[in-house]
Amino acid sequence: MKHTENPGQTLRILTYNVHRWLGTDRQISPTRIAEVIASCQPDIVALQEVRVGRARAGEVDQAATVASALGMDLHFQPTIRILGEQYGIAVLTRHSSRVVKSGRLPTQSTRPSFEKRSALWVAVEIDGQTIQVVNAHLSLRSGERRTQAAALVGRDWIGHPDCGEPAVLLGDFNAPPLSRSYRLIADRLQDAQLSNSFGEPQPTFHTRAPVLRLDHVFVTKSIEVIDAGPVRTPLARVASDHFPLLAQLRVRKHIKAAERTHAGELLGEPATGL
């Protein structure tokens, strides 16, 4: 198989619009979302429509509950602040990680917007390899969405000098594959679902009748996609209005590092890492 020709670190990464923890049965259940995520056994999770706060007085913070149940650290970027609660996007991981950047994406509106579309860039360390992860949730308006997609692949985010290989851009882009917003990103990065075991990329929305592919995982050249597709378990069908999208990836070894190790072995020198 082709992935054995380029040995490297493997990881499982998930993007999931959790719809404020609100299921299609109209029940709010962060615990149910945590169960869906746990069943996927991910290393990294990107969430959209995350509600941070307490649904009722005396209850614990909902996002913190999910992170604790998964044994993961939570990085959060708010897009809405209202009545002491926040709503936005998040990256969770059980590996060492740090926020590199968080901030708003461009808007075409001249008036203050209720929801400020944003992106969250987190660097995750897995077995000595740094993975750059950018999570985003784009606008429902096509013109604004195109501007935001262009910004994500520009110098502020994926095109930033510090966002080198390997990198993953993922989230709810509200952009089906025939849209211009999708093409702006797919022309620069690989769509993981084009390498899935289903034969054809699968829709992620709506869980009651999946017809739209709005959630995506895009990867840079040093990442090989082993498999990618929506997780359509019975629980996932009711936990949110989006299916989670899971990608199993392999991070190829750095070519120069491999060549240096090989040369050292030929010279009888010990292999050392940087």
Side-chain angles (χ1 to χ4, degrees):
M1 297 176 66
K2 65 178 182 178
H3 63 262
T4 60
E5 298 170 2
N6 296 286
Q9 178 64 42
T10 61
L11 69 145
R12 296 166 67 85
I13 190 164
L14 185 80
T15 182
Y16 195 6
N17 182 322
V18 297
H19 197 226
R20 308 184 308 279
W21 322 118
L22 179 65
T24 56
D25 59 359
R26 308 307 299 170
Q27 298 298 310
I28 294 175
S29 179
T31 301
R32 184 165 56 186
I33 291 290
E35 290 176 10
V36 172
I37 295 171
S39 72
C40 301
Q41 299 181 308
D43 296 287
I44 302 168
V45 181
L47 301 179
Q48 305 83 42
E49 296 194 20
V50 175
R51 184 177 179 180
V52 172
R54 297 163 175 81
R56 302 177 187 84
E59 291 188 351
V60 297
D61 182 280
Q62 295 168 317
T65 297
V66 172
S68 176
L70 295 169
M72 291 182 163
D73 292 330
L74 170 70
H75 303 290
F76 176 73
Q77 166 65 21
T79 59
I80 297 174
R81 300 174 189 267
I82 185 170
L83 299 176
E85 291 196 14
Q86 298 180 86
Y87 167 96
I89 58 177
V91 171
L92 291 78
T93 179
R94 60 176 53 88
H95 300 277
S96 176
S97 59
R98 63 181 177 86
V99 174
V100 178
K101 180 180 179 180
S102 61
R104 299 178 186 176
L105 294 171
T107 178
Q108 295 181 339
S109 175
T110 57
R111 296 175 297 177
S113 56
F114 178 67
E115 181 173 6
K116 299 171 176 62
R117 300 289 181 169
S118 302
L120 175 60
W121 171 6
V122 175
V124 183
E125 295 279 346
I126 301 179
D127 292 340
Q129 175 73 67
T130 302
I131 316 294
Q132 308 296 338
V133 178
V134 179
N135 177 21
H137 188 192
L138 303 192
S139 175
L140 292 170
R141 294 184 289 183
S142 60
E144 188 166 80
R145 188 167 60 244
R146 288 195 298 272
T147 302
Q148 293 167 353
L152 283 172
V153 294
R155 289 186 60 82
D156 287 339
W157 299 96
I158 288 294
H160 192 284
D162 292 338
C163 193
E165 298 272 0
V168 181
L169 171 63
L170 74 172
D172 177 0
F173 295 90
N174 281 310
L178 294 180
S179 68
R180 291 173 63 187
S181 302
Y182 171 89
R183 292 289 356 144
L184 278 168
I185 302 173
D187 286 346
R188 292 281 302 275
L189 302 169
Q190 179 188 355
D191 179 350
Q193 270 223 73
L194 298 182
S195 301
N196 67 30
S197 59
F198 295 91
E200 293 289 337
Q202 300 294 303
T204 58
F205 179 86
H206 185 285
T207 50
R208 285 183 174 174
V211 294
L212 295 175
R213 193 157 77 89
L214 304 180
D215 307 272
H216 304 287
V217 175
F218 296 100
V219 300
T220 54
K221 292 180 180 179
S222 66
I223 297 178
E224 180 183 1
V225 180
I226 300 172
D227 199 3
V231 179
R232 293 183 177 171
T233 62
L235 189 60
R237 289 184 183 277
V238 297
S240 174
D241 59 351
H242 286 245
F243 284 112
L245 176 61
L246 177 66
Q248 184 177 357
L249 310 175
R250 183 181 300 276
V251 181
R252 296 186 178 99
K253 286 184 177 179
H254 197 291
I255 294 175
K256 289 184 178 180
E259 290 175 347
R260 182 168 57 250
T261 299
H262 180 61
E265 290 172 348
L266 291 177
L267 294 171
E269 299 173 353
T272 58
L274 292 179

